[in-house]
Amino acid sequence: MKTYLIEKYGDRSAVRAAERPDPRPGPEDVLVEIHAASVNPLDFKIRDGAFKRILPYRLPLVLGNDLAGVVVRVGSAVTRFAVGDEVYARPDKDRIGTFAELIAVHQDDLAPKPVALTMAQAASLPLVALTDWQALVERAQVRPGQKVLVHGGSGGVGTVALQLARHLGAHVATTASAANADLVGELGADVVVDYRTQDFERLLDGYDVVLDTLGGQTLEKSLRVLEPGGKAISIAGPPDADFAREIGANPFLRQAMNALSFTTRRRAERHGVTYSFLFMKADGDQLREITRLVHAGKIRPVVDRVFPFDRTRDAMEYAEEGRAKAGKVVVAMK
């Protein structure tokens, strides 16, 4: 099968097209013919080696972290899917590789594709939608009437987070460019802060939850807009000891991650709030919940551009350079 992979960690020049053997599905695996996959910042971080101590992948490594496609074979113990089913998924972190024509995915990580969506639209959702679900529903347990700040509202994570937060009954604020103000308002933002001309820290206060997609100073300022007892959840800030335990890191790595997040956690404590790092996990049951929200019209995907499979490197470059106006960049195999 044709794939896009890396043979060593490096910059964008490390990604190349290569033929690889077709996957061999295990008893509980589903072999999926991939019709579309989307590009995520995680792809660049894995390519660069940013997670090589945390996620020790064996090279060569096929990149790509979410997909939509059609089931072409099922393992002997598979009970939830049949050949011909249209599905979408974020494979487990140890079994990535969606920039390919085929992939074997554990049945528990798959969900039926929303029928109203194209393959490209469906492929744009799994990683970002699961991130938002695990942040806002699972961890923050957002309730009606609470105030939620979502950074980067026009990005892949942000466009879904705004819709989910609105569905949960929250008052929602976001940071975005003036050019995307109308879009993020349609998606659920009650307050839009133009990050180029306005300082959200001066305009917002008393928030219950912040979903941070940027890290750095944005995360530091976010701690100060939370009310006492509020929660800052970051996908871009320093990893913490809880994350280290989740991935089964050794004691040395646990100590290292605890040290990395020490300053942020101490600042959070001073403000009477909490900080946690989120690295989303594959979950087919949660994807089913997201499918229901799509069918109910509560969540719609935002796709900026679709590239053909033979231009996967161009798609990655386009996304990495921030040229997408809003939403996700998708690669279409079919």
Side-chain angles (χ1 to χ4, degrees):
M1 66 175 179
K2 184 178 180 180
T3 70
Y4 280 85
L5 52 71
I6 56 171
E7 294 178 318
K8 61 180 180 179
Y9 293 115
D11 58 20
R12 63 186 59 167
S13 65
V15 181
R16 70 178 187 88
E19 290 289 331
R20 297 288 293 168
D22 290 355
R24 293 184 177 181
E28 293 191 76
D29 290 343
V30 175
L31 186 65
V32 180
E33 180 185 59
I34 301 173
H35 286 219
S38 75
V39 180
N40 295 281
L42 180 59
D43 299 315
F44 317 136
K45 294 178 181 179
I46 291 173
R47 178 204 66 198
D48 295 344
F51 289 124
K52 62 184 178 182
R53 293 184 183 276
I54 301 170
L55 302 173
Y57 290 115
R58 177 181 294 180
L59 302 177
L61 173 68
V62 179
L63 298 175
N65 282 275
D66 47 14
L67 69 106
V70 175
V71 175
V72 293
R73 191 188 313 166
V74 296
S76 59
V78 170
T79 58
R80 307 179 81 173
F81 298 94
V83 172
D85 287 350
E86 294 188 343
V87 295
Y88 70 153
R90 189 283 202 240
D92 183 77
K93 61 180 173 35
D94 297 326
R95 300 181 64 177
I96 68 168
T98 63
F99 295 158
E101 293 175 312
L102 295 165
I103 189 170
V105 183
H106 193 283
Q107 64 173 337
D108 291 346
D109 297 337
L110 279 171
K113 181 186 79 67
V115 294
L117 300 186
T118 66
M119 288 290 183
Q121 290 172 325
S124 74
L125 283 177
L127 186 143
V128 295
L130 285 170
T131 298
D132 295 327
W133 184 275
Q134 289 162 24
L136 300 180
V137 177
E138 193 172 55
R139 188 167 296 186
Q141 299 179 354
V142 172
R143 302 183 303 277
Q146 287 191 312
K147 296 170 69 174
V148 175
L149 169 59
V150 175
H151 285 295
S154 64
V157 169
T159 52
V160 177
L162 295 178
Q163 298 174 80
L164 181 58
R166 176 173 61 182
H167 167 68
L168 295 171
H171 170 90
V172 188
T174 193
T175 54
S177 68
N180 284 321
D182 288 343
L183 171 66
V184 296
E186 292 171 5
L187 295 175
D190 299 293
V191 177
V192 182
V193 178
D194 183 351
Y195 69 86
R196 291 175 176 163
T197 61
Q198 298 175 303
D199 185 350
F200 74 89
E201 184 188 3
R202 295 178 180 273
L203 298 174
L204 307 176
D205 63 26
Y207 277 71
D208 299 283
V209 179
V210 174
L211 176 53
D212 167 51
T213 61
L214 302 170
Q217 285 191 337
T218 298
L219 173 57
E220 183 178 341
K221 288 182 176 182
S222 294
L223 299 175
R224 298 195 283 267
V225 306
L226 287 166
E227 69 171 9
K231 299 176 182 179
I233 301 168
S234 179
I235 61 172
D240 55 19
D242 287 341
F243 167 65
R245 282 190 288 271
E246 285 177 15
I247 64 171
N250 61 48
F252 173 78
L253 267 181
R254 290 186 189 183
Q255 289 182 345
M257 291 184 197
N258 202 42
L260 283 172
S261 62
F262 176 79
T263 300
T264 302
R265 289 184 289 107
R266 178 59 61 87
R267 286 174 179 154
E269 288 174 8
R270 291 194 189 112
H271 293 286
V273 303
T274 60
Y275 164 76
S276 62
F277 174 76
L278 175 68
F279 190 94
M280 59 76 56
K281 59 184 181 295
D283 193 310
D285 288 335
Q286 290 180 358
L287 263 185
R288 282 177 163 79
E289 295 296 325
I290 291 159
T291 297
R292 293 188 186 99
L293 293 179
V294 172
H295 288 162
K298 303 298 184 181
I299 289 178
R300 66 176 175 89
V302 178
V303 175
D304 178 86
R305 185 171 173 184
V306 180
F307 286 78
F309 186 37
D310 61 6
R311 292 186 59 198
T312 296
R313 286 184 54 167
D314 293 337
M316 294 183 68
E317 181 177 330
Y318 178 85
E320 188 172 15
E321 291 178 351
R323 289 153 63 190
K325 293 181 176 64
K328 297 292 293 293
V329 177
V330 174
V331 173
M333 289 70 171
K334 296 288 183 181

